[in-house]
Structures are given as structure tokens and as C-alpha cells.
């Protein structure tokens, strides 16, 4: 086996699909509840819909806010190192995409 194929840790790591992960979480007594995520998606969707009816510039601002919230929540939720730099790069990338 090559050096790049060796495991990083000594613990058992099993990659599973979503259904198997849900079943494994249920076996450990962990329940997944997506009602908060559903509520946030509905509120954000309604905000974007109402901003689209208000005008193009309002919609542009609303999309920029949603992009910023998504980037922040993703970086905070995953706990990756380098969060501050990634947030800055993401903000500039989103601004560049909105301008283009």
C-alpha cells in the first residue's frame, strides 16, 4: 500500500450514504430534526420572492444577503480551519459574481 493510501487515524472510519448514516445515528439515540432548516428556507424564500416584486436592485441586495448568510452558516457549521479568510474570500467572490 502506498503512503498516500494509509489511514490518518487509528480509529475506524466508515463512509456511508445518507440512509445508513441516519440509521447509525438512530442506533446511537440521535434523532435528526430538519424543521428549523425548513422554517429558515421558507422565510428566506419568501423574503427573496417579496424582494423580487419590489424591484431589481432590492432583489440584488437580498441575494447578496442570502449569499453572505449561506457562506457564514456553512463556515460556522463545518468548523473548518481558516474561517476568517474563507469568509473574506467568499464575500469577494459573491460580490464579483453579483457585479458580473
Amino acid at each position: 500500500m502506498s503512503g498516500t493510501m494509509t489511514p490518518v487515524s487509528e480509529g475506524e472510519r466508515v463512509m456511508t450514504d445518507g440512509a445508513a448514516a441516519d440509521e447509525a445515528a438512530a442506533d446511537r439515540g440521535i434523532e435528526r430534526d430538519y424543521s428549523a432548516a425548513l422554517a429558515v428556507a421558507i422565510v428566506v424564500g419568501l423574503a427573496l420572492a417579496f424582494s423580487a416584486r419590489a424591484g431589481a436592485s432590492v432583489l440584488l441586495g437580498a441575494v447578496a444577503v442570502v449569499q453572505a448568510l449561506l457562506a457564514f452558516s456553512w463556515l460556522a457549521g463545518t468548523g473548518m480551519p481558516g474561517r476568517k479568510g474563507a469568509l473574506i474570500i467568499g464575500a469577494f467572490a459573491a460580490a464579483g459574481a453579483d457585479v458580473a
Side-chain angles (χ1 to χ4, degrees):
M1 183 180 297
S2 73
T4 58
M5 298 301 289
T6 58
V8 175
S9 65
E10 297 299 321
E12 180 182 344
R13 292 184 61 194
V14 178
M15 299 297 286
T16 60
D17 62 354
D22 286 342
E23 184 177 322
D27 289 342
R28 292 189 307 261
I30 301 171
E31 293 184 24
R32 294 189 179 185
D33 183 21
Y34 297 112
S35 59
L38 176 64
V40 169
I42 289 171
V43 168
V44 169
L46 288 172
L48 287 172
F50 286 125
S51 65
R53 293 188 58 92
S57 60
V58 177
L59 178 60
L60 179 64
V63 168
V65 168
V66 170
Q67 285 174 343
L69 288 173
L70 177 63
F72 178 75
S73 64
W74 187 3
L75 291 172
T78 57
M80 296 183 302
R83 284 180 232 144
K84 293 177 185 174
L87 190 58
I88 292 170
I89 291 170
F92 283 128
D98 288 341
V99 170

